[in-house]
Amino acid sequence: MAELVRFSVSMDQDLLARFDELIRKRGYTNRSEAVRDLVRDALVRQAWEEEDREVAGTITLVYDHHKHELADRLTDVQHKFLEQIVASLHVHLDEDNCLEVLAVRGRGKEIQQIADILLSHKGVKHGRLVTTCTGKHLP
Ligand code: NI
């Protein structure tokens, strides 16, 4: 593990009070871990912007499987992106609705495109791309 370095930060008192309130609500016991997580989050967001970085995430979809050919179309898309879609989970929520969670990895732009294609299908009621990283380059 790399050496731990201490540094000080100057901040407006009101802003710091808001920060302390926020991290308390989120369950952090000290500022350092909260700041580290903010930095990691910024680095992951940056990685999604860069062309050559491999990132990971999940695409979640809720859709009506009665909609004409929708389930087939969504499956067709998944078969086209075998390299990026590494796993999938399908849950039959009720008689009409399905929940799908796809684990994805690859370049940010490609993953965003796949999410856009899937989520824009008519009959997909809700969905979201959750962006994270492979963990490889993040201390
Ligand atoms: Ni289903």
Side-chain angles (χ1 to χ4, degrees), residues 63 65 90-94 97-99:
Y63 63 90
H65 81 108
H90 186 106
V91 179
H92 310 302
L93 290 173
D94 58 29
N97 296 294
C98 301
L99 168 72

Side-chain angles (χ1 to χ4, degrees), residues 8-136:
S8 61
V9 176
S10 304
M11 195 182 289
D12 185 278
Q13 201 173 14
D14 292 344
L15 188 60
L16 183 60
R18 295 277 301 273
F19 182 63
D20 284 342
E21 177 66 12
L22 175 79
I23 67 176
R24 190 188 58 75
K25 280 183 184 161
R26 291 192 179 173
Y28 287 101
T29 51
N30 65 69
R31 288 176 184 152
S32 290
E33 187 53 24
V35 169
R36 284 192 286 269
D37 277 357
L38 288 176
V39 171
R40 289 186 192 111
D41 196 49
L43 290 170
V44 169
R45 265 185 283 137
Q46 178 63 31
W48 274 80
E49 308 274 308
E50 285 170 21
E51 286 281 318
D52 55 338
R53 290 283 299 279
E54 187 188 41
V55 291
T58 56
I59 301 169
T60 299
L61 305 161
V62 173
Y63 63 90
D64 180 348
H65 81 108
H66 295 302
K67 280 269 189 253
H68 186 62
E69 291 180 359
L70 177 60
D72 282 349
R73 290 207 184 114
L74 294 175
T75 304
D76 280 349
V77 174
Q78 294 179 45
H79 279 266
K80 275 188 198 134
F81 297 101
L82 294 174
E83 225 171 279
Q84 293 86 358
I85 300 173
V86 292
S88 66
L89 167 75
H90 186 106
V91 179
H92 310 302
L93 290 173
D94 58 29
E95 284 183 11
D96 310 311
N97 296 294
C98 301
L99 168 72
E100 246 169 44
V101 182
L102 310 175
V104 288
R105 69 188 298 173
R107 286 180 296 169
K109 213 181 214 176
E110 291 171 342
I111 303 299
Q112 183 65 60
Q113 259 169 7
I114 295 167
D116 289 344
I117 293 168
L118 291 166
L119 296 177
S120 62
H121 274 71
K122 202 176 162 194
V124 174
K125 294 181 175 180
H126 187 253
R128 184 156 292 171
L129 168 64
V130 174
T131 57
T132 184
C133 66
T134 61
K136 220 185 282 178

